[in-house]
Amino acid sequence: MTAHPLQRMVPVHSTTPVTALAYHDADILLSGQGPYLKAIRVSTADTLACIHLGGDWKVHRIVLANVQRIGATSEARLFLAFGAKSLRIMRLTVLRSGSGEGPKLYFQHLWNVPHMKDWILDAQWLWPKADLQGEFPTTRSSLNPAPTKPPTSIAIGYAHNFVEVFDLPQDPFSIPHQQNDLSQDDDLHDFRLSFSVQSEEHCTLFCGRFHNNTLEDLWFASGTVFCHALLWKVHHGTGVEAPVAMSLIGHEGILFGIRWSDNGKAVCTVSDDRTIRVWDITNPGKILHTTHFGHTARVWDCQIIGTYLVSISEDASCRVWRNPLLTDLSDKDDMSDCLACWEGHEGKSAWSVAVSDNAVVATGGGDGGIHLWRLDSIVSGSTDAEQNTKDIDLPDTPTYYPNITPQEKEFIRDFVITSNTQSVYGTNTGYILIRDDESETWSTLYNSPLLKNYVTMESSRCGRIVVAGCLTGKLVVLSVRNEFVPLIADTLDGIKIQFIFLLDGAGEDDFTIAVFRANCTVGVFRLCISTASSTATCTYLCDLKLPNSNKAIHAAFYSPRYNLLLLGSRSGTVLVYNLNHLSTVDRGTDTERAVLDSIVQLERCHGLDSVSSILMVTELGEGFEGKDRIIVYTTGRDGSWTKYRFLGLPDGEVIGAGTTTEEEDDDEENDKDDFEDDSDVIGASAGGDTQGRMRSPSPNDQENGTEIVLQKIYSSKITKGWLEQVFLMDGELLLLGFFNKKLFVYNESKHFELRSFARELTAGSELFQNAKLQNNFHGREVRHLRFLGEAQPLTEGAPAPIITASGGEDCRLRLFQYIPYKTQNSCTALRPLCNLKPRFGAAIRCLEWSYTDTAHSYLLFTGGAIESMRAWQVTLSIANSYQVQVVQDHLGRAIPEHTPLSLGCLELAQCPHASETLETRIMDLSVFRLAGHPGKHFVASVYSDGASRVWLFDETSKNFVLAINSNYHNKCILQVAHVKFSEGGILMFTAATDGNITVWDLTHALDAFLARYTADAGARPVHAQRPFIGKSKKMASKYYVQNLTKPIAEISAVHMSGVNSMCVRDLGSEGILVVSGGDDNALAVSLVKTVWSPESRTIHALSADMIARDNNAHGSAIQAVSIISPSEVVTTSQDQMISLWRVGISAETSAAALVKQESQFVHVPDPSTMDILPASEDETRHSVAIAGIGVQIFQVGP
Amino acid sequence: MGKSSKDKRDVYYRMAKEQGWRARSAFKLMQVDEEFNLLEGVTKAVDLCAAPGSWSQVLSKKLVKNQKETEEAKIVAVDLQAMAPLPGVIQLQGDITKQSTADQIISFFDGEKADIVVCDGAPDVTGLHDMDEYIQAQLLLAALNITTHVLRPGGSFVAKIFRGKDMTLLYTQLKIFFPKVTCSKPRSSRNSSIEAFIVCQDYTPPKDYVPNMGDPLLDLAPTDAQGRSNRTIAPFIACGDLSGFDSDMTYALPDSGSEDYKVLAPVQMPITAPYLSAIEKKRKGFFNDQMSKK
């Protein structure tokens, strides 16, 4: 939508729930999110066209008509987009050059049908019966056989269970193709209402759906709040009201979605009762139905696609089920034929789903993201063990062991799988047999008395080598392909070998072998293959020193790049050995044996359960400041997996500022570590049990001055069963485990269980490159968003990056880079940088930035539920590809584009508790620093139990210390703000649910606190000596605290009830401007005049008065106010409006005039927070971000 | 969340249990009444969407004081769901969008009409805010429609609303029937909740208005962004004693070990949920063939 020439507030970006999806063809997906309609190319994830539909409604559904061919290669598609009581008739034109370039797309708005009588539930294109032959599928993008003529009417189904039919004013195919904006002056006279009918059942519906495309055959399916679905024929012939032909009774809750099968012989309904029901209506006298349980919350939609049902739910998942209509419904009871459960969206609800003709499922989330899934990855048939496994019996023993004696028993002792079609078996009689699994033929690889009665085997990853361990401590190394002659190696002690780990080395012929002996020792060997000489050599390297507590080793990984060996023990310990230190190992008296100590020992990685697998991955140049990022993954039998970062390795990331980071980079496919809701740890604090301690550092390491540390950065429990294996496949993290005697494979990167992993893993990605077609925002209500206001440019001449921090009900802290005018449309300007969910996460209500003396290093404070307050260190650095480009903004001006940057976010500290009640919420924060006190940040915080406190966060000690306490308010305090005077004077403003604004002079209390604190350099413990009785929480020490009892001024009854928002600005001699927005719809302006006396270091209030108020500033509670200049204020409210106000203060009378300049609709439901950022040097332009369920950014110009 | 944790978070929840109210919403009606004196002299009342019955409890308590020798207090409580019996309250299980329900209510008043109609009903919210507000508006309009059948001229109507983007539309519509319409937020309703109560006084139906349940009252005004800023905004009043309890404040409980404090069970257990079958299946291990994420 083009801006009105006089409009100063222009919407430039929004991310809101994706509520409508439809495929034009397999490569072009239409999406509706908020007021925007987008066309996205599936294969490349590019947004090809985007249009703002205007108005105050969001797109609830897109209904496609037939394709109109234009020339040989291009086409156009008519479609309806509707929501609430508005409907637009649109056309998408797709121009294909045929030269290999991508298609060019544009939207065209044909007609506006702006105000319908009632809420629209469905709309349908209608043709004259003569123009339609055969069936006309309603749910899919392909219309086969497609009508060649244009539709002539549209039918609209309403929430009060009635239908209207309008005739199109003109043949839509005859309208010239051109790109346009929305025409506001539509002539509606030709939109003739040609038919109208009410169902005999008068009720309010939550859902409805048409079937068929001619008025004569049109049916409507109504989903009622009384748990019934009603099917009725629209053009029924007689009477005023249409009779209900069929009632589908069975659901136990409101119907939220209803769909017809393509042939109209079945209906699929979903409900509040969390079930999907499929109704066979072929015989109206005997309607059969199936019930499908599985979703863990309300189900919003389900469609029948061939052999599948595809459903979406409030549980944010998309599930695929077996279509029950293909079997006999009469013998079906409650079913859970769930074939796949795709959980990619964050927070609550997947709202929309579309399936392309080549079986790519697109889901749109409440989080504003769009994900792609492949339906053809589901192998039909279950993955039950019994169906897919096969017993293997040894061939008759005499066929390979002719001289077997009757005393010898033959059976399989151990086996390994060497390829998809080959396996190798060790038998009790000392034979090693190869089985070709395709031809089911056997051959003898080796036999030896050494292997009689006991063998343990391991194969190399490549499958070329099999190593067998003997009772006598010998290793037998065998080539499956006969590349070398068998080798028998000694493992030193002559003790039974219990486990062998055959690990890949640097080259394809190098391997590292770790053997775990029966006496609980580990020997390490190097195995080299020479195909030229057909020999293998096995060299002893060393033994490894194990902690006493370790009974067995269950996992091992060797990194040739760093020459490190990683072991995981049965009792949960991860050990790292540096094989570079072999030369320095003290061999003591034993000349043969060398015992190497670990450099890292990390205990209880999976509690006391076994570490079942270890994987180490190096991402070259992907780490902080362009260093290599070295990641270690472990899985455990506690059902969880853990991600560590290796710090201090050569060229790798080092320990130091901002090193604990989690990035979510949309440009990288392999880094999609969304944090699970049930995650345990992120961004670990420095020290503690999350880091592997370094033991006996070697001289080499000391020379480098680096410490080697394994730092836990993420852990998540996936199952109540065991996790056994972690592997990366195409950059996606896959976890294999067992639960309830079943094997499962979970795709952690995309959050879904692979029901049929063989197909899933090999499914090519030729249809799309990125399964995340569109990045998401928060999945729940955002409660606070703050721009990093004083960010510094990362290179000279470049603009400072624009960073936002946001938090809300999803307990996540997210950081985004806002890139204005990144593309020609306004939908893709927020780039996710980081997505953190702290341990013991609590809803975030408030957050504030602070600044440090270190370049590009910032502090962020978050506060919220269960009295949680945290300090985070955010460090920005230049990404490898950083360069400044110049692009054009929407007004055609050349502006520098902000290119991607790298961001680190580290949790520094958690604030101790100070309230008696655990449920106390921190409602708001205000952060300031004082001149002469570097590294000290003062955090004014207000609490739901009526307390206001000022905390010191000390950068050096990384501790929160309680500085000032006040219990003056006996109400839940909602807002806090501050004003800083020169010479250290500080005024604090607080406001509560009683509508009063209170003014505090903090100067004295802060002076007294600082004197005491600096005197003993903060040596006192930050926590109280005695823990709070009956609670394990850490209480703050009150040693340094100053009590504040009396405010210097109070402005009473500024609002009738809660002061939801307050913004203050020092106007110098005029006083301090306090603008507040209330729950009572009112906007108030107050002026506080003070005088600072330097001698006594006190602030006296001369006056504090409300000078202007608009009682009806908004139609609902005001949620946020911002002062953009001394004379202008922006407000937003639950009524979803943003308003710009002029504040004119008369110098003589100190009275003010408050005049609304302009208002606009905000497409963010439940707007809770707003922040502004100057967008030009002279501060005449501002970016205004409003967040709630989604986010919208406006530019406010002069 | 445990019951005691909710006690701390919500002082009115605790007080409702202590004072025997079926829901904390009882305080909301009492605080609205304090402000507007709606129940003064009232003897006939209708409670629409009454379950679990806390507003009927309040009405019952107040109306008994008002009844005269000649005239007994009469309260008719209507809900789709069954509700535990309350002394002195006539219960009617029915759909408020139906003519038959209106007729039944009228029949209880022996041809007379009610002095006040209250409605504390709220739909299942989906999370799609525009849809939720629409459905809430429809519920209110259905209540208004039935009110036009049963309310005496001069009577009042109190209903729950969501203070969302289309609140002003409803206000316009209510003004057709009531000269005095106020949006009121009791202090027992949380500041963070978008719920409020529309208080409509002095029922004055338009001349020649014939109540008709067959025709739903569809909201009238168009929805467009441009027209939004010019709409009339309902006057707002916060009600309830400012020095009373704050529903947003976290109050410390008496020491949980002491005899003074007991965690009380709710007065009336919640009405059954539609997903009980699903929960029951889960308990029986129906979902265990899935991976069982924690």
Side-chain angles (χ1 to χ4, degrees), chain A residues 707-752:
Chain A
E707 195 186 3
I708 292 178
V709 163
L710 199 56
Q711 190 171 46
K712 183 173 180 174
I713 49 178
Y714 181 69
S715 177
S716 177
K717 183 160 172 159
I718 291 295
T719 173
K720 288 174 184 159
W722 290 0
L723 275 186
E724 280 296 288
Q725 194 67 250
V726 55
F727 45 102
L728 282 166
M729 188 74 69
D730 297 333
E732 291 179 2
L733 189 70
L734 304 179
L735 301 164
L736 179 147
F738 293 99
F739 176 70
N740 223 15
K741 297 177 192 163
K742 280 190 64 175
L743 168 79
F744 66 82
V745 178
Y746 188 71
N747 182 324
E748 178 64 24
S749 299
K750 285 191 196 158
H751 296 286
F752 69 96

Side-chain angles (χ1 to χ4, degrees), chain A residues 950-970:
Chain A
V950 179
W951 297 85
L952 164 72
F953 179 75
D954 191 326
E955 272 183 56
T956 318
S957 67
K958 294 187 173 51
N959 279 328
F960 282 97
V961 181
L962 185 55
I964 299 175
N965 188 68
S966 162
N967 290 318
Y968 174 81
H969 289 274
N970 195 23

Side-chain angles (χ1 to χ4, degrees), chain A residues 56 60 85 118 160 202 252 272 293-294 298 334 744 753 921 944 971-972 993 1056 1060 1079 1081 1116, chain B residues 124-125 130 134 138 163 187 191 194 214 219 228 236 242 246 248-250 277 281 287 291 293:
Chain A
D56 59 358
H60 278 273
K85 295 178 184 174
D118 190 17
H160 280 90
H202 292 241
E252 293 169 34
D272 206 1
F293 288 91
R298 293 178 286 181
D334 297 345
F744 66 82
E753 186 181 347
R921 292 156 283 150
S944 65
K971 288 279 181 283
C972 171
T993 51
M1056 265 190 268
N1060 285 351
D1079 186 55
N1081 309 352
S1116 185
Chain B
D124 266 23
V125 291
D130 52 349
Y134 168 78
Q138 295 322 301
R163 296 168 67 197
R187 293 189 195 280
N191 192 67
I194 65 164
D219 36 348
R228 241 167 222 296
F236 179 90
L242 197 52
D246 177 358
D248 290 277
M249 182 149 159
T250 314
S277 303
K281 285 208 176 300
F287 297 102
M291 195 181 78
K293 291 189 69 187

